[in-house]
Amino acid sequence: MRRFVYVLVPMVCAVFSVGALDLVGDGQVRAVAVVGEHPAPTTLTAANELTNYVYQMTGVKMQVSATPVPGLHVVMLGTDYKAVKTDEVCIRFRDDTTLELTGDQPRGTLYAVYELLERFGCRFWAPANETVPQLKALAVDRSFAKVYAPPFAWRQAYGESSCADYRWAVKNRLNGTYWGQPKMPDNWGGKVEVDVGETLTRRWVKASVFFKDHPEWYAWRDKEAKRVPEQLCTSNPEMLAQLEKEVLMFLKSHPDTKTLSISGNDSDRYCQCEACKKVRATEQSDSALLMIAVNRIARLVAEECPDVRIVMLAYWTTERPPKTMTLEPNVTVCFAKLRDFATPIAQNEPYMNALLGWKKLAHNPLYIWDYNARFSNFILPAPAADTIGPNMRVYRDHGVAGLVAQLPWGTLADWVDLRCWLWGRTAWNPDLDSEQLIDEWIAGACGAGAPLMKAYWDKLLKIRKGIGPYGCDTAKWLTPEAMLECYDLQNRAIAATTRDVRTHAQVEKLSAAMLCAMVYRYKDLLAHAQAEKRQIPERVALIDRLEELGKKYRCSTYREWDDYSNMIKKMRAGEI
């Protein structure tokens, strides 16, 4: 058995702070991180993170030990703890000389460390952008205690910042993995993975395998007067038998499966054969067609694998519940609905009606597949991060079990670091004030450029109108005058941060949004400038700057399934 190797720390004699447990004082170490003889992998990671940041804050190396060291206070990590909820953290004093950092395994202890570090003033704004205060002493008041568990057991932000750096995702209390991103090693807490993807015709009864020989298994479309491979015909008993066969084979070869998605393909082309038409006419939603397959598989799985939960994605033409059909008890619904992201969901009646309809129909708490990204162009201005927090409180209040959000991709995506950070913070604690969090992020992430970037953010919120998932038109709300004002604010913020690499990089990345908008709308901008007799940058200079930023910050994409370099090529060719 592999034994933990620890460092013996010499006895330290010191006068400790009254009423507080000292970690560091007068430039000397006052405590040791104790992990026990056989610590869990995440406990070791937690101890290393604690001592690493203590060193960054104070310049004093706090050691990790298997056992207490005479003369030093004890910070005991990963002690036995009976958690009530997933990812629960516990920070408490065992006695006057022993502070415990523990929680629900495998992540609770690690999260407890970050809770403590944030109490000391550390902030994790984005990958490669952290605030670590410089302190001469570190102490924890002995009256301090905290037990907390997030309301959502599954918290996944599928965006550039969260997926590019799993360490940052963990610091931001995100625990989910989807489409393999981010990769969460076991010693960093591992992953919570919920199977919520579009699986019918892709994973189950694959069109690439069966459509040629069994077109009758797939959707009939009246307009084309033929079968198409995008969706299944759930009125076909042979298809359902094949689906059952495949699911049983999968579960036998994957006995650790906890959730299993039976969900339609990413298409609105559901079956219009006579049998399926009758179902839809009665139920008034394509969700009824999907639920035929979902309930069939749910009944089978309840007998064969009773611990497995079937997940149904209610999305696009299946986002509305059926009129009369019911769900089997072992089905969980994951609700997904595209919408105007600038409007809080509490003010979106169709969204709330559908969410509450599924809540009423389902036997189990819902999952949410959310969005806060303009998929047609992630770079263009899309100021909608402020609705994330209010939406999170609605989800919490309606008992949602877990959630994933599709957020922007690309290092130059508009406010992507803020959105991923804010998603993690409010998924962890929905009661946090979103406006205050945004102000805090801008101040900490943008440094000397913060006042200018805050003015830029406030300007965007004041003028925005409707931020949806598709389309690149900003003309309805972003005037040429506003573009020039925002461009000036960003350039001044860049100049203000030139002496600080960390915040300068953040502000530079944020400047790409307005550069992109100015290229898209250059004719409008030029006409305004000529009317006002103002100087503006040449279009080619704006494109050159976007290309420079893309290379500098290794921006990989600008929209779904398309490279950032292609945007630059299209701009130069006049296609954008």
Side-chain angles (χ1 to χ4, degrees):
M1 181 180 293
R2 180 174 178 267
R3 294 183 61 83
F4 176 67
V5 179
Y6 60 92
V7 179
L8 289 177
V9 183
M11 182 182 294
V12 176
C13 297
V15 177
F16 299 126
S17 301
V18 177
L21 183 144
D22 290 295
L23 304 185
V24 173
D26 298 326
Q28 300 293 319
V29 66
R30 305 296 194 205
V32 60
V34 175
V35 296
E37 291 287 350
H38 305 291
T42 49
T43 299
L44 285 179
T45 301
N48 289 333
E49 285 290 274
L50 175 64
T51 57
N52 172 46
Y53 279 99
V54 167
Y55 180 74
Q56 289 187 52
M57 285 186 281
T58 67
V60 174
K61 186 65 176 177
M62 182 178 172
Q63 301 294 346
V64 179
S65 173
T67 58
V69 174
L72 292 179
H73 289 148
V74 173
V75 179
M76 194 165 286
L77 296 99
T79 52
D80 289 341
Y81 180 75
K82 189 174 182 179
V84 176
K85 296 182 179 180
T86 301
D87 290 344
E88 186 170 295
V89 300
C90 177
I91 303 174
R92 63 189 179 191
F93 278 88
R94 174 180 290 188
D95 53 48
D96 284 349
T97 62
T98 306
L99 174 66
E100 289 187 332
L101 304 178
T102 187
D104 179 49
Q105 290 295 335
R107 290 172 292 276
T109 300
L110 194 50
Y111 291 159
V113 165
Y114 294 129
E115 291 282 321
L116 183 64
L117 291 174
E118 288 174 355
R119 186 175 174 82
F120 289 144
C122 294
R123 293 293 185 270
F124 314 108
W125 310 118
N129 188 349
E130 299 181 348
T131 297
V132 180
Q134 300 302 293
L135 305 170
K136 295 182 179 180
L138 281 179
V140 182
D141 194 285
R142 290 186 175 90
S143 65
F144 177 67
K146 183 171 187 176
V147 174
Y148 178 78
F152 311 114
W154 173 45
R155 305 174 303 281
Q156 165 74 11
Y158 189 72
E160 176 73 33
S161 316
S162 304
C163 293
D165 186 347
Y166 66 82
R167 294 175 178 84
W168 183 77
V170 173
K171 293 171 186 177
N172 209 23
R173 320 301 196 277
L174 295 164
N175 63 10
T177 294
Y178 194 66
W179 288 322
Q181 300 290 338
K183 300 184 186 302
M184 296 283 206
D186 289 343
N187 63 322
W188 281 79
K191 61 190 177 185
V192 174
E193 194 164 21
V194 178
D195 189 10
V196 295
E198 302 102 335
T199 56
L200 298 180
T201 77
R202 293 186 177 189
R203 185 196 307 170
W204 312 123
V205 197
K206 291 181 180 179
S208 60
V209 175
F210 295 108
F211 183 71
K212 182 179 179 181
D213 295 331
H214 294 283
E216 71 278 9
W217 290 2
Y218 297 85
W220 172 267
R221 298 296 294 180
D222 286 340
K223 185 177 181 180
E224 295 92 333
K226 65 178 183 179
R227 300 277 176 176
V228 297
E230 284 91 334
Q231 300 286 5
L232 295 174
C233 174
T234 55
S235 297
N236 188 297
E238 292 182 357
M239 185 283 295
L240 292 172
Q242 176 64 26
L243 177 60
E244 287 183 333
K245 177 182 175 182
E246 292 181 14
V247 168
L248 281 180
M249 288 178 61
F250 178 86
L251 291 175
K252 287 179 181 178
S253 60
H254 298 80
D256 295 332
T257 298
K258 301 298 182 186
T259 57
L260 191 76
S261 177
I262 303 295
S263 300
N265 194 0
D266 193 357
S267 167
D268 62 348
R269 289 157 66 81
Y270 275 80
C271 189
Q272 296 174 333
C273 75
E274 290 306 314
C276 288
K277 274 185 177 179
K278 289 180 181 179
V279 174
R280 199 192 184 289
T282 300
E283 300 295 342
Q284 297 295 300
S285 175
D286 285 335
S287 60
L289 302 178
L290 176 57
M291 283 171 59
I292 292 172
V294 168
N295 282 336
R296 175 91 170 242
I297 296 303
R299 288 189 290 270
L300 174 71
V301 170
E303 294 180 2
E304 301 291 334
C305 305
D307 293 332
V308 174
R309 185 68 54 83
I310 301 301
V311 179
M312 170 189 158
L313 181 61
Y315 161 71
W316 204 344
T317 60
T318 65
E319 68 191 22
R320 286 187 295 108
K323 292 292 184 181
T324 66
M325 287 179 68
T326 59
L327 285 166
E328 291 295 313
N330 59 337
V331 175
T332 294
V333 174
C334 182
F335 175 60
K337 181 176 174 60
L338 292 164
R339 62 187 190 280
D340 170 14
F341 309 132
T343 300
I345 59 172
Q347 300 171 24
N348 186 321
E349 187 175 354
Y351 187 94
M352 291 305 301
N353 286 343
L355 185 149
L356 294 176
W358 285 114
K359 179 185 176 183
K360 181 179 179 180
L361 184 64
H363 296 269
N364 304 296
L366 301 180
Y367 291 129
I368 295 294
W369 183 314
D370 212 345
Y371 308 87
N372 199 288
R374 185 200 297 272
F375 296 113
S376 299
N377 189 311
F378 295 130
I379 316 297
L380 281 170
D386 60 308
T387 63
I388 290 174
N391 293 348
M392 209 68 77
R393 287 190 286 277
V394 173
Y395 296 141
R396 187 270 314 278
D397 292 345
H398 286 289
V400 166
L403 25 70
V404 59
Q406 283 187 262
L407 302 176
W409 279 84
T411 57
L412 300 183
D414 186 46
W415 295 99
V416 61
D417 292 329
L418 170 61
R419 290 195 235 197
C420 290
W421 180 83
L422 193 61
W423 181 268
R425 298 300 295 166
T426 56
W428 178 255
N429 184 356
D431 287 324
L432 295 175
D433 186 299
S434 290
E435 292 185 12
Q436 185 176 337
L437 286 174
I438 291 170
D439 288 350
E440 181 186 0
W441 188 91
I442 293 174
C446 300
L452 296 158
M453 295 308 293
K454 180 62 166 59
Y456 167 57
W457 172 257
D458 289 343
K459 177 69 176 180
L460 293 177
L461 291 193
K462 184 178 180 180
I463 63 176
R464 73 174 178 195
K465 291 181 181 178
I467 306 295
Y470 297 109
C472 297
D473 185 16
T474 59
K476 293 181 179 180
W477 61 277
L478 189 59
T479 65
E481 182 64 31
M483 279 191 280
L484 292 174
E485 181 181 341
C486 292
Y487 178 67
D488 177 65
L489 287 168
Q490 289 179 329
N491 284 337
R492 289 161 59 196
I494 290 170
T497 56
T498 51
R499 295 184 179 181
D500 181 23
V501 173
R502 175 182 68 85
T503 57
H504 187 68
Q506 191 71 64
V507 171
E508 276 199 316
K509 289 189 291 184
L510 286 167
S511 72
M514 202 52 57
L515 293 170
C516 190
M518 291 169 73
V519 173
Y520 268 75
R521 302 268 310 287
Y522 197 77
K523 289 183 179 179
D524 294 342
L525 197 65
L526 184 60
H528 174 78
Q530 290 173 344
E532 297 293 322
K533 297 181 180 180
R534 294 179 59 175
Q535 292 287 330
I536 62 170
E538 294 290 334
R539 185 174 184 275
V540 67
L542 297 172
I543 299 171
D544 287 345
R545 179 59 172 160
L546 279 170
E547 184 171 28
E548 177 190 354
L549 290 173
K551 290 178 179 178
K552 183 175 182 179
Y553 296 109
R554 299 181 180 181
C555 188
S556 60
T557 188
Y558 81 101
R559 67 175 185 178
E560 280 191 305
W561 327 122
D562 206 348
D563 291 343
Y564 184 83
S565 60
N566 288 336
M567 182 185 76
I568 300 300
K569 290 177 183 177
K570 291 176 182 178
M571 286 178 169
R572 294 199 186 282
E575 298 172 19
I576 292 178

